[in-house]
Each structure stands twice: as structure tokens, then as C-alpha cells.
Amino acid sequence: MFKKILPLLIVLAMMVGCTAFAEESTDYDFKIGYTVLGNATNFFVNVNKSLETACEEKGIEFSWTIDDRDASKMRTAIDTYAMQGADIIVDFTVLVETGTAIAAELAKEGIPMLSIDCAYEGAYFFGVDNAGAGKTIGQFAADWVNENWGGQIDSVQGLYNEAAGELVRQRVSCGMDVLVEQGLVSKDNLTYTNTNSSGATTTDVSYVRSLVVDYLTAHPDDKHIVLICMTDEVATAANAAAISTGREDNVVIVSHNCDLAVVEMLQKKSGCIIGTVNYNSSGYGEQIVDACATILKAQKAGEELDWYFYNKVYVVSRENAWEYYPEAVIY
């Protein structure tokens, strides 16, 4: 499927036995082809901008495509980058089956693939230790429940996106595990809800809202409900559902991504969202290009690497939102 075109400069250098190129090269003499599902939410804007900026600062040739989380568009873009001589493919489409298949095809051509925040078999991974992030938000929720609800939880709904894969689901499942392990809720009172509506390539907030409304309607007598959401986009829809059903006093929501819309709520202490994991999306770019450099250097040397490159996380809450964001956020 893929055919890598050797850059003309390298061909000429080989023909004349030139050593100058090797002498002048750096760890950042490579091309990145980048595919991403979108550029609408705060998280993706930050990641895309930071990656573009990091490549510009390092002198890395960088091309990118928004593929709308469409497998066909993703394949076409990556095919094009490979034909144009990309040294490494970076992908943030979050399509496990397609990404795994493409990674295998690229590997046959000697082109490594780095997936962001979603694990593809045969591809390197950059992003969060999802299990660790899940435990972090689970512990935060546990501490809040112990302090504010006397350690009582009636039920927990975990909202995840099945298409993102099992690894990313750990942001939710590992958080729920913490609540069970600490004796705050029984496994019988856990509900896992897939927020991926049929045929949708992006989060359908109306669909998510309906799922949460249905859940709250099915638990009319529960006074202490925790919702653990895989992303802030899902959390804001869940928040709207809790408010629209008049259950805001019975519901607390924790999530992931630290989108500005959620930071604004945390600063104002409004709604049901009490905390979100910050993945430092503005710092993704520099870490990604360094990971790419490490991968390509190891490939050239014939060395094996760990498949995973992890980003550090922390929780932004109502209590510390002004510390991390000293200026009022208006979203």
C-alpha cells in the first residue's frame, strides 16, 4: 500500500559519497506526517498547535490533516505522507482497528507509527498512562466522597467510548475500581455506559445527555451518584443531564482533559463537575517530537524501545482551579 520515496538530498549524498549531510544532521532531521480527528475542542487545539510549534522550532518538516475520525480519510492521508517520504507517522484519530492495520502496513515499509492517547498494536504510544490517570481521578473522587458524603456512594456510572479501545477505557474503569477497593460502592452498583452512538465519528453530546438522563431516571432514589467520564466533552453533557433532571444535588462528576469549559465551571464552582485530569495538552508537542526522535534514532541503530511514552497528569478541582488558572476563564 505504501511506497516511501527517498529524499533527493540523501540520494545525491550517496552518489557522491558526501559526508557533509551526516555531519550537519541533528536528531530532528526527519519528516512527520500527522493525522488528527479534529481541531474543535480546546484539548485538540492545544495538541495540534503545540505539535506544529515544536516542529517549527526544531526545524522538522511537518504536514498534518484533519480526518474527521473517518477511517478512509485517515488512510488516504497516511498513504500520501508515506509516498511523500515521511519518516514517521503520528496519529491522533483514535480508531483502534484501522490504526492497528495501518501500523502493520507501515512497518513493512520501515515507517514507524506513533499513536496519541490510543494504543494501536504495532505502533508506539504517546499519551497518558490511562490506568494511572484513572486511579488518580478515582482517588480524587474517593477523597471527595469521604469528606463531603460521609463515604457513601449509592451508584456509579462510568461513561466511556468503546471505539477508543480498552486502554483508554481504563481512565474510567480504573477510577471505578478505586471506589470499589476502598469500600465506597459495591460492584453491583457499577454501570458501564458506551457513549459511542451508532455511526457517529465524534462525540454526540445529545446522545450522551440522553444516556445520563436515562440512568438518573432509572435510579430515582439514589442520593449519592458518581459519574466518571472519559472526557470533559462527555462530562459537560452529563452535567447538563443532571441539571435538566433536577438531580444536581445528588450527582458529582469527574472527568479527563481539563477543557476550558470545565475549568470555567470549576472556577465558578457551578454545576456538578468537581474535578478533571489535566494532561498538559499544550506540552504534548515537544514531548511528541522528542519521542519521534528517540524512535527514529533507535530504529537507525537497530535498538529496541519500550512501546510507551507517558505524559504526567494532575487533577484540577474547585479547590485549586484558581491556582492553576489565575485568570478568569470565559469559555
Side-chain angles (χ1 to χ4, degrees):
M1 173 182 176
F2 300 104
K3 181 180 180 182
K4 188 173 180 181
I5 302 175
L6 199 62
L8 179 60
L9 181 59
I10 297 178
V11 175
L12 292 175
M14 291 174 63
M15 291 175 63
V16 301
C18 178
T19 60
F21 178 80
E23 292 173 354
E24 295 176 0
S25 68
T26 72
D27 288 341
Y28 300 100
D29 284 332
F30 54 82
K31 297 180 181 180
I32 293 176
Y34 174 52
T35 45
V36 60
L37 63 87
N39 198 39
T41 66
N42 177 66
F43 186 83
F44 285 97
V45 169
N46 286 344
V47 172
N48 298 342
K49 183 178 180 181
S50 70
L51 182 52
E52 191 169 32
T53 299
C55 287
E56 183 177 347
E57 291 175 350
K58 300 288 189 182
I60 297 169
E61 189 171 332
F62 175 69
S63 301
W64 67 299
T65 299
I66 295 174
D67 59 28
D68 301 313
R69 208 165 183 229
D70 181 296
S72 177
K73 291 181 181 179
M74 174 186 175
R75 279 185 170 277
T76 298
I78 292 175
D79 190 3
T80 300
Y81 293 142
M83 292 292 291
Q84 291 174 345
D87 296 292
I88 188 167
I89 297 298
V90 177
D91 178 74
F92 199 177
T93 307
V94 194
L95 287 176
V96 177
E97 290 186 7
T98 303
T100 296
I102 292 176
E105 293 162 1
L106 288 169
K108 293 177 182 178
E109 301 298 326
I111 306 173
M113 185 177 192
L114 176 68
S115 175
I116 302 175
D117 281 342
C118 184
Y120 303 156
E121 185 178 349
Y124 291 95
F125 170 90
F126 173 82
V128 178
D129 173 359
N130 289 284
K135 292 175 183 177
T136 296
I137 201 62
Q139 187 59 57
F140 170 80
D143 292 342
W144 190 96
V145 167
N146 282 323
E147 183 176 346
N148 295 274
W149 282 352
Q152 183 178 354
I153 300 175
D154 295 317
S155 60
V156 179
Q157 183 182 29
L159 297 150
Y160 71 98
N161 187 320
E162 187 173 288
E166 182 58 35
L167 192 68
V168 182
R169 179 176 172 170
Q170 290 177 342
R171 297 184 185 185
V172 174
S173 61
C174 289
M176 297 170 81
D177 289 345
V178 170
L179 300 180
V180 172
E181 290 165 3
Q182 296 195 12
L184 299 174
V185 65
S186 70
K187 288 185 178 180
D188 292 339
N189 291 324
L190 301 182
T191 299
Y192 287 90
T193 303
N194 176 22
T195 62
N196 187 45
S197 58
S198 178
T201 57
T202 58
T203 300
D204 184 337
V205 293
S206 296
Y207 179 67
V208 173
R209 181 171 172 173
S210 70
L211 292 173
V212 177
V213 168
D214 290 345
Y215 180 82
L216 296 177
T217 301
H219 295 78
D221 299 324
D222 289 0
K223 304 299 182 185
H224 305 94
I225 300 172
V226 176
L227 305 183
I228 302 181
C229 302
M230 197 173 79
T231 67
D232 281 343
E233 192 174 18
V234 170
T236 54
N239 180 65
I243 293 172
S244 68
T245 55
R247 300 292 295 280
E248 56 264 50
D249 292 337
N250 307 137
V251 173
V252 292
I253 302 170
V254 293
S255 61
H256 298 258
N257 281 357
C258 207
D259 289 349
L260 290 182
V262 170
V263 173
E264 182 181 22
M265 292 184 210
L266 295 172
Q267 286 182 332
K268 294 179 178 179
K269 298 184 178 180
S270 63
C272 303
I273 302 175
I274 59 171
T276 178
V277 177
N278 191 323
Y279 292 87
N280 185 27
S281 55
S282 296
Y284 263 43
E286 186 173 354
Q287 296 178 79
I288 289 169
V289 298
D290 285 345
C292 289
T294 299
I295 291 166
L296 291 169
K297 186 176 181 180
Q299 183 185 55
K300 184 177 180 181
E303 298 173 351
E304 292 188 2
L305 283 178
D306 191 317
W307 290 94
Y308 295 92
F309 296 82
Y310 289 130
N311 183 41
K312 294 182 179 180
V313 302
Y314 56 90
V315 177
V316 175
S317 68
R318 291 176 175 178
E319 286 67 38
N320 64 23
W322 287 102
E323 177 184 343
Y324 286 113
Y325 296 85
E327 300 293 330
V329 172
I330 301 175
Y331 185 80

